[in-house]
């Protein structure tokens, strides 16, 4: 009985007629799984390292951040793929501007809400797309390919700017980055015993 059901289910999910629907289903599934994989360990470490509060409050914060990340990715995938499916149904193809429109709408609806998780995701993507756009411009000969090592200068400029902002305009940085940098550069200036010099931070 179980084997017959499994065969029937496989036929159903592999039916070309239902494939667009199951693309949405699997997109939602992958969004939830990937969001949990990425956010849970990050939230676990950052919360127990830097967040104040009781153990229960910390667990609730970890669960909330993980849920937000996972559901937002799932919602975005659903919206993005749905709009692309609509374009394909109407125009029988998907062009580059269809992709831009679909992602723009999804980004506005899902990642346009300002919260810590969305801010981190958007900032992460911004750094990646700037590098990607620079490479596209090189491939299309819009900007010349440098004849020297760029990465050392890139690293130097990034760290010079972020430390300048941290030291003199700290409030403008993302809270998690502020916490990390405070731990590294300011907390290391404070101790009153060998215990909180080498064993504990405070």
């Amino acid at each position: 009985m179980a084997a017959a059901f499994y065969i029937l289910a496989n036929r159903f999910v592999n039916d070309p007629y239902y494939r667009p629907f199951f693309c949405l289903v699997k997109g939602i599934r992958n969004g939830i799984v990937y969001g949990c994989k990425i956010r849970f360990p990050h939230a676990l470490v950052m919360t127990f390292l830097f967040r104040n509060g009781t153990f229960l409050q910390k667990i609730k914060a970890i669960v909330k951040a993980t849920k937000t990340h996972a559901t937002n990715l799932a919602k975005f995938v659903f919206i993005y793929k749905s709009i692309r499916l609509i374009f394909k149904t109407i125009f029988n193809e998907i062009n580059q501007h269809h992709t831009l429109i679909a992602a723009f709408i999804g980004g506005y609806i899902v990642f346009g809400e300002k919260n810590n998780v969305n801010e981190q995701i958007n900032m992460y993507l911004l750094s990646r797309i700037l590098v990607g756009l620079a490479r596209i411009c090189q491939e299309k000969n819009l900007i010349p390919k440098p004849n020297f090592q760029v990465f050392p200068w890139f690293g130097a400029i990034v760290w010079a700017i972020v430390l300048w902002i941290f030291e003199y305009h700290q409030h403008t940085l993302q809270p998690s980055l502020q916490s990390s940098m405070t731990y590294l550069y300011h907390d290391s200036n404070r101790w009153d015993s060998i215990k909180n010099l080498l064993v504990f931070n405070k």
Side-chain angles (χ1 to χ4, degrees):
M1 183 70 177
F5 176 77
Y6 182 73
I7 292 170
L8 185 63
N10 279 340
R11 286 178 183 171
F12 179 59
V13 299
N14 286 300
D15 188 327
Y17 181 79
Y18 298 108
R19 185 173 181 79
F21 169 74
F22 285 113
C23 283
L24 297 178
V25 171
K26 187 163 185 183
I28 293 170
R29 178 263 180 203
N30 284 4
I32 292 171
V33 171
Y34 188 77
C36 290
K37 282 183 177 181
I38 293 298
R39 179 55 56 174
F40 178 76
H42 176 269
L44 181 69
V45 172
M46 296 301 290
T47 299
F48 278 98
L49 275 180
F50 300 115
R51 192 182 183 98
N52 295 320
T54 65
F55 179 80
L56 184 59
Q57 288 173 331
K58 291 179 178 180
I59 293 299
K60 286 181 177 178
I62 293 167
V63 171
K64 182 181 178 182
T66 303
K67 180 184 175 183
T68 300
H69 198 141
T71 54
N72 280 7
L73 281 180
K75 286 189 287 187
F76 179 84
V77 171
F78 175 76
I79 293 169
Y80 171 72
K81 291 175 74 71
S82 295
I83 295 173
R84 276 170 57 95
L85 179 60
I86 292 169
F87 279 132
K88 188 172 183 179
T89 302
I90 295 172
F91 300 106
N92 203 32
E93 65 177 357
I94 297 174
N95 294 322
Q96 292 187 35
H97 63 276
H98 294 154
T99 296
L100 285 170
I101 293 169
F104 181 87
I105 294 172
Y108 185 87
I109 293 172
V110 179
F111 293 108
E113 179 185 351
K114 194 174 189 303
N115 57 54
N116 290 338
V117 172
N118 283 355
E119 192 174 354
Q120 288 172 357
I121 293 172
N122 289 341
M123 290 298 103
Y124 173 88
L125 290 178
L126 177 62
S127 64
R128 268 56 182 178
I129 64 174
L130 289 175
V131 174
L133 288 172
R135 288 174 177 166
I136 291 171
C137 289
Q138 279 187 357
E139 289 174 1
K140 295 184 178 296
N141 295 318
L142 297 175
I143 58 174
K145 187 173 183 178
N147 55 4
F148 59 91
Q149 287 291 326
V150 173
F151 198 79
W153 293 98
F154 171 72
I157 292 169
V158 166
W159 282 94
I161 293 174
V162 75
L163 264 299
W164 172 75
I165 294 175
F166 172 70
E167 296 291 1
Y168 301 104
H169 306 278
Q170 183 181 145
H171 67 281
T172 64
L173 293 174
Q174 193 180 21
S176 62
L177 182 57
Q178 289 185 45
S179 297
S180 299
M181 292 201 148
T182 297
Y183 184 83
L184 290 169
Y185 306 114
H186 287 180
D187 287 357
S188 56
N189 295 332
R190 302 185 185 98
W191 68 89
D192 57 16
S193 69
I194 191 70
K195 185 177 178 181
N196 59 15
L197 173 66
L198 299 177
V199 182
F200 299 105
N201 181 44
K202 293 181 181 179

